[in-house]
Amino acid sequence: MLLRLVGGHFSISLIIVPTRSTSYSHLRDGFMRALQARLVLSKQRGSLTPEDELAVQSPLRKFKSMFPNTPLAKHAPLDVLLTSPGPQPRTLIVRDLGSVQNDWLSTEFVLAYFEGHGISPPVSFPLCLMLTLAHVSLKLKQMVVERLEGFGQ
């Protein structure tokens, strides 16, 4: 279900809220460890070619450089947006910090939160539930539009 949402024609927003004081560099290091682990996993699964692996190195460096070496207060949200697929590569936007365009990095960043134990297991279920509800809400909206199209004619 989640893979269909992330791989589908949807924009996805994550709001990451630290439960204790931390720093952007601490979050960056955790994100990079998760992405490196997913890189290895993708190679093992055969879903990442050597060319794709080489192509993602520059976006990974750009992503790593976006995070300042400053504190992030407890309960201060870090908003992350994964744009919907289109003619350009998907973009991962970290509000106030920057963005990076790469289909693999953008998609795998979001999937890292939910596959297996994820980056932050305590929040994985609620976030997955919110994504599922967003998907249901979109389907409901589409149903209403479809049924109203012929109404009154």
Side-chain angles (χ1 to χ4, degrees):
M1 169 71 156
L2 180 67
L3 192 54
R4 270 196 357 233
L5 284 173
V6 174
H9 298 284
F10 301 97
S11 291
I12 296 175
S13 179
L14 291 174
I15 301 170
I16 301 165
V17 182
T19 56
R20 59 180 177 243
S21 294
T22 187
S23 67
Y24 285 104
S25 56
H26 176 77
L27 291 176
R28 176 205 62 212
D29 293 346
F31 295 152
M32 291 304 295
R33 276 192 302 277
L35 287 167
Q36 291 296 337
R38 295 200 61 82
L39 194 65
V40 169
L41 187 61
S42 293
K43 287 182 354 187
Q44 289 173 347
R45 291 176 175 169
S47 62
L48 188 70
T49 66
E51 294 80 19
D52 293 336
E53 181 182 7
L54 188 58
V56 78
Q57 295 307 312
S58 179
L60 280 169
R61 283 190 299 275
K62 181 178 180 186
F63 179 73
K64 185 176 181 177
S65 72
M66 291 180 351
F67 294 86
N69 193 16
T70 57
L72 180 62
K74 179 179 179 178
H75 299 140
L78 179 67
D79 299 328
V80 179
L81 175 69
L82 171 65
T83 62
S84 59
Q88 299 292 322
R90 290 184 99 166
T91 303
L92 187 69
I93 302 166
V94 182
R95 188 176 59 135
D96 299 330
L97 299 181
S99 65
V100 62
Q101 273 192 326
N102 182 274
D103 287 324
W104 185 89
L105 186 148
S106 300
T107 303
E108 293 297 321
F109 178 86
V110 174
L111 289 175
Y113 265 91
F114 302 101
E115 190 171 64
H117 294 292
I119 294 174
S120 184
V123 298
S124 294
F125 178 73
L127 285 174
C128 193
L129 179 60
M130 287 185 339
L131 285 171
T132 303
L133 291 175
H135 179 67
V136 169
S137 175
L138 181 63
K139 287 290 186 188
L140 181 60
K141 186 179 190 180
Q142 287 172 341
M143 266 178 28
V144 170
V145 168
E146 287 170 7
R147 290 187 182 192
L148 289 177
E149 282 177 340
F151 188 74
Q153 292 180 356

